[in-house]
Amino acid sequence: MTPAPPGPTGPSRRTFLKAGGFGAFAIGSAAVLPLFGTNGAVQDPMTCKAKDVSASAKKLVVSNWPAYIDPPAKKYVTTLKDFEQLTGISVDYTDDVSDNAEFFAKVRNQLSACQSVDRDLMVLTDWMAARMINLGWCQPLDKDKVPNLHQNLIPALRDRAWDPDRTYSAPWQSGLTGIAYNAKLTKEVGSFEALLTRPDLKGKITLLSEMRDTMAFVLKVTGADPEKFGDTEWERGIDYLGTVVRGGQVRAFTGNEYIQDLTAGNIVACEAWSGDVIQAQFENPDIKFVVPEEGLNLWSDNMLVPNKAQHLDNAEQWINYYYEPEVAAKLAAWVNYICPVEGAREAMEKIDSSLVDNRLIFPTEEDLKDTFDFMALDENQNKKYEGEWSDVTGG
């Protein structure tokens, strides 16, 4: 997959985090924080719920990641403002999700005790969304009230093992994890195995500090399926990575700050997120994104309604609105990640035609056919794997 040059849109969410000093706490860094056990914290969303007062209280409280929505500008009506005008719902929108594990720690005591977290929607990455759904901390969505989600969600995101019918979750934006390299400094790196073994790359690469992103590829390299594996496959993979690290192949495990080192030439290749590469290509066309021979890791940040939310119907209206292709295109034109909404590519023609053929925003079904996810972990697996990952990476 060779992406077209990106259009002249604003900075990405991760660029915002980096500029604001949050580089160590981007999506990929959650693995370095402790995730406490949650035994006895499982709830039943059918009984742990609040009365929905949406009909009388036209209000919605949303927690999202920084710089993950189109910002206000002169003579420009944002998607959020348009939603408020169309529905009469007042939105209290906050960007207080700067890290999955950090946010989990912020809300775990209330959700584990069936108490309100004073939010109606929260946006979390696949693995954390799976964790919260498995703990019974999220309310199901009424399929009849979010028809656009089920009609317009791109096929590649429809059947996740942790939420196969999208009963609890709706992707806000998605992205691809693959390989980036600086074509001025090295030849193409065509596989993750090559990234980990090529002698000319020794000490000149970085891997992501997000355990699931990196280990999904390591499991692939060692012959396992990252969507379904056991302790034996895990041990083989983590031992292999340990050998690679001890051999000096990896310069560092990082959050999104890797893109600065790649652009500056401090490293020549790395594991990378597609949205970062789009942004880097604005200033340095030598930065290339590669689909590894092992495939691509496709991830999403997902809208979830926590237990005890009082405005479920208003939240469902928000989700349905953002799955209108025209709305999704306006959002995608700014955030530059994969748009999860079918029809948005055609709608983009009227917004920014330079982005229509960018396959890191609108990948084809062929592009996504070999994508994979990381298996949802139970609490015991999570504790074991995160601990062994930290031992190898020094996290």
Side-chain angles (χ1 to χ4, degrees), residues 50-120:
K51 180 182 178 181
D52 190 354
V53 298
S54 294
S56 58
K58 307 297 278 185
K59 177 183 176 182
L60 183 66
V61 182
V62 179
S63 281
N64 205 345
W65 298 76
Y68 218 13
I69 197 168
D70 49 322
K74 189 176 181 180
K75 296 183 180 181
Y76 172 75
V77 179
T78 66
T79 56
L80 188 156
K81 181 59 67 176
D82 186 52
F83 173 79
E84 290 182 321
Q85 293 173 349
L86 285 171
T87 63
I89 297 170
S90 175
V91 180
D92 181 0
Y93 183 94
T94 58
D95 56 2
D96 62 340
V97 185
S98 58
D99 173 82
N100 285 288
E102 187 180 63
F103 187 82
F104 180 86
K106 186 186 300 185
V107 300
R108 69 179 296 272
N109 289 340
Q110 297 98 313
L111 290 174
S112 64
C114 189
Q115 296 173 357
S116 171
V117 293
D118 299 319
R119 295 170 176 84
D120 302 303

Side-chain angles (χ1 to χ4, degrees), residues 129-258:
R131 188 178 188 191
M132 290 207 170
I133 291 169
N134 287 339
L135 286 167
W137 291 359
C138 301
Q139 290 291 302
L141 305 171
D142 186 334
K143 189 173 183 178
D144 292 336
K145 293 183 179 179
V146 287
N148 289 338
L149 167 63
H150 295 284
Q151 178 179 330
N152 296 336
L153 180 62
I154 61 175
L157 297 176
R158 288 182 181 268
D159 296 313
R160 287 316 203 206
W162 46 270
D163 191 15
D165 299 318
R166 289 293 180 183
T167 302
Y168 296 93
S169 64
W172 174 255
Q173 295 288 285
S174 296
L176 296 167
T177 307
I179 294 172
Y181 71 99
N182 189 324
K184 189 175 181 179
L185 302 176
T186 190
K187 63 182 180 180
E188 180 175 326
V189 183
S191 70
F192 208 82
E193 183 175 15
L195 188 69
L196 299 180
T197 60
R198 256 176 47 185
D200 62 305
L201 301 178
K202 185 175 181 178
K204 300 177 183 179
I205 72 162
T206 58
L207 300 177
L208 294 172
S209 56
E210 165 53 61
M211 180 267 282
R212 289 157 180 82
D213 271 340
T214 298
M215 284 306 298
F217 280 105
V218 172
L219 287 166
K220 280 272 192 176
V221 169
T222 55
D225 180 355
E227 298 191 73
K228 187 178 181 181
F229 61 90
D231 284 351
T232 299
E233 290 86 357
W234 167 265
E235 295 298 341
R236 184 167 61 243
I238 199 72
D239 288 347
Y240 177 84
L241 181 62
T243 300
V244 170
V245 171
R246 290 189 297 273
Q249 186 78 1
V250 183
R251 173 172 172 151
F253 290 84
T254 75
N256 73 304
E257 62 269 27
Y258 67 84

